[in-house]
Amino acid sequence: MTEHSLSRFFRVHFPPPAYMALPTVGVDISTSSMKAVHIKEYAHGPEVDIFDEVALPDNVMSKGDITSKQSVADALKTLAQRHGMKAVHVSLPESKSYLFELKVRGKNKEEWRTAVEQSLDEYVPLPPDTVVFNIMPLKVVAGETLVVGVGYARKIVENFLQVLEESGVEPASFESEMFSTARALLPAHMDETVLIVDIGKTTTKLIIAERQIPRFATTLDVGGDALTHSVQKYFGVSEEEARKIKIEHGIVSSGGKEEYLSAMLLTASAIRDEVTMRLEYWQNRTRTNNLFAPVTRAVLVGGNATLRGLPEYLSSTLRVPVVLGDVFTNFASLDTWLPSVDYAQSFAYTTAIGLALRDYVQ
Ligand SMILES: Nc1ncnc2c1ncn2[C@@H]1O[C@H](COP(=O)(O)OP(=O)(O)OP(=O)(O)O)[C@@H](O)[C@H]1O
Ligand SMILES: [Mg+2]
């Protein structure tokens, strides 16, 4: 079983061309739900023709671990049946990844891979024969290629493979979620370095990416649910009610609600302080190391991205403009089509969109 799964992983890493002709769906498995996106190509450009999600019960996905394979497989089966999907691009959790970069000699991906293999233990603190990794070239520096690599314990990938096997869906590829998120939000050939802040249910993910390639990523253990819980505690209301209040009032000061606001800011400031610290560290490094470019803006995504007042609140300490991410930047102009999810929801689909975009290399 294990050997079988693993050989399959390597096969899907370099899929035969015919395989890619199948309609491939991007599937993002995260704490709150499993999200699926499928893209359709038109003369005027690609559109998303399927947005769908299946809620996951609490504690099925926890800190990047699949704690109930059966529940995840059931959710995937549901999505597969609804949409007749055969093959999927699946995201792997940032919190389980090892992101690294190094300069290597060589002319192509195979040669770079071989070079990385020889020093893999310097970048991934696991026995090399228990690691699966992938690399992406970033740029040429003094005759060498700076590659970004990402490694996972083989066991993690095997767990995802078992879920796919159980649900009868073929893996087309696996990708670390920060690569998918960056692909969704950034145009392919823009040199800008951007900070992506993905505020989900139980986590906030920070990604600093250059030309769709992450160069720093981390997962904070606090997300939008912490804000909902602050509201619940403060008003003594149900979770459902608290969510509504949160959406209506956000973190904006409005007359007579000062205590509510300070309860919210207690959590929001925890996120803001962490983000500020990571960004400052990056910005400082760019002053002494010209391999790194300063971040010029921050973009917000995730189910909580549209929290009222959040961009203003973050920009006060980040010292870069903070805007909502454009998850449709790599699609046909929105003058020509209307996404079937509402605006606030679309930000939760960022990773799934990026996965689906794998088949549309610009
Ligand atoms: N319109 C909205 N306004 C504010 N918050 C919202 C809205 N819609 C959904 N949410 C919140 O977004 C969260 C889900 O977001 P998302 O799907 O990005 O999380 P996730 O990726 O499943 O979680 P994690 O990243 O922690 O694994 C929930 O906390 C939900 O309450
Ligand atoms: Mg998420």
Side-chain angles (χ1 to χ4, degrees):
M1 164 69 205
T2 321
E3 267 318 301
H4 170 66
S5 297
L6 196 64
S7 63
R8 202 153 125 200
F9 173 75
F10 287 114
R11 217 171 64 224
V12 299
H13 231 81
F14 303 98
Y19 207 82
M20 302 305 283
L22 292 169
T24 307
V25 179
V27 172
D28 169 28
I29 309 170
S30 50
T31 317
S32 69
S33 66
M34 181 181 290
K35 301 174 187 76
V37 162
H38 182 256
I39 297 174
K40 209 165 169 182
E41 182 93 69
Y42 293 92
H44 59 280
E47 297 180 5
V48 177
D49 72 332
I50 297 171
F51 283 105
D52 199 6
E53 69 179 320
V54 172
L56 292 174
D58 281 349
N59 303 320
V60 161
M61 290 296 295
S62 165
K63 296 185 193 287
D65 279 315
I66 303 175
T67 40
S68 165
K69 287 192 186 123
Q70 194 56 52
S71 303
V72 179
D74 288 346
L76 189 53
K77 259 185 222 162
T78 304
L79 285 172
Q81 277 162 7
R82 274 188 206 161
H83 305 291
M85 60 203 218
K86 304 258 182 312
V88 290
H89 294 304
V90 179
S91 57
L92 297 175
E94 187 288 323
S95 59
K96 298 289 173 190
S97 73
Y98 296 94
L99 187 68
F100 58 91
E101 46 186 73
L102 69 157
K103 283 183 270 180
V104 290
R105 293 183 194 284
K107 293 183 290 295
N108 53 42
K109 199 162 178 178
E110 226 164 292
E111 291 180 12
W112 300 326
R113 262 194 87 87
T114 307
V116 170
E117 243 156 35
Q118 277 154 15
S119 52
L120 192 60
D121 59 347
E122 291 171 36
Y123 301 98
V124 181
L126 298 169
D129 60 341
T130 66
V131 173
V132 288
F133 73 97
N134 202 1
I135 52 164
M136 299 274 262
L138 183 65
K139 55 185 157 196
V140 175
V141 182
E144 290 186 305
T145 304
L146 180 65
V147 297
V148 173
V150 59
Y152 280 90
R154 193 167 62 186
K155 187 83 196 93
I156 303 283
V157 181
E158 282 168 358
N159 286 342
F160 278 81
L161 276 169
Q162 278 168 16
V163 165
L164 290 174
E165 218 156 78
E166 171 66 31
S167 59
V169 176
E170 288 288 332
S173 75
F174 288 99
E175 177 172 75
S176 199
E177 60 183 337
M178 60 271 202
F179 285 79
S180 326
T181 303
R183 182 181 306 107
L185 292 169
L186 308 175
H189 302 293
M190 204 175 54
D191 270 335
E192 193 187 8
T193 297
V194 174
L195 167 67
I196 299 167
V197 182
D198 171 359
I199 311 175
K201 184 179 163 90
T202 58
T203 71
T204 298
K205 281 156 201 169
L206 309 183
I207 303 159
I208 296 178
E210 181 177 340
R211 270 186 291 117
Q212 295 188 332
I213 300 184
R215 302 193 62 184
F216 167 82
T218 194
T219 298
L220 311 176
D221 272 338
V222 51
D225 259 16
L227 290 164
T228 310
H229 294 150
S230 300
V231 180
Q232 252 182 295
K233 244 193 212 161
Y234 180 71
F235 289 105
V237 294
S238 72
E239 193 168 337
E240 198 45 49
E241 192 60 27
R243 210 167 281 146
K244 277 190 204 140
I245 297 172
K246 181 181 85 171
I247 291 173
E248 189 181 340
H249 296 285
I251 49 171
V252 180
S253 148
S254 59
K257 291 256 174 3
E258 294 317 313
E259 280 177 54
Y260 159 80
L261 190 63
S262 41
M264 289 290 272
L265 289 184
L266 213 57
T267 301
S269 66
I271 297 177
R272 184 181 72 175
D273 294 349
E274 283 280 346
V275 181
T276 306
M277 190 178 78
R278 310 301 165 120
L279 181 60
E280 264 173 19
Y281 181 79
W282 177 274
Q283 303 291 54
N284 282 333
R285 187 159 59 167
T286 64
R287 292 189 191 107
T288 53
N289 187 335
N290 61 11
L291 282 183
F292 300 98
V295 165
T296 50
R297 64 190 170 111
V299 303
L300 303 182
V301 290
N304 289 276
T306 54
L307 193 73
R308 287 180 61 207
L310 188 61
E312 297 77 6
Y313 182 68
L314 288 177
S315 62
S316 65
T317 58
L318 292 188
R319 291 191 270 166
V320 294
V322 181
V323 295
L324 281 169
D326 178 2
V327 301
F328 299 115
T329 189
N330 291 308
F331 288 86
S333 157
L334 289 182
D335 296 337
T336 62
W337 68 291
L338 188 67
S340 61
V341 283
D342 71 41
Y343 182 65
Q345 236 184 327
S346 68
F347 297 100
Y349 279 94
T350 312
T351 307
I353 290 172
L355 285 166
L357 279 169
R358 290 194 68 146
D359 296 339
Y360 296 84
V361 181
Q362 296 105 346

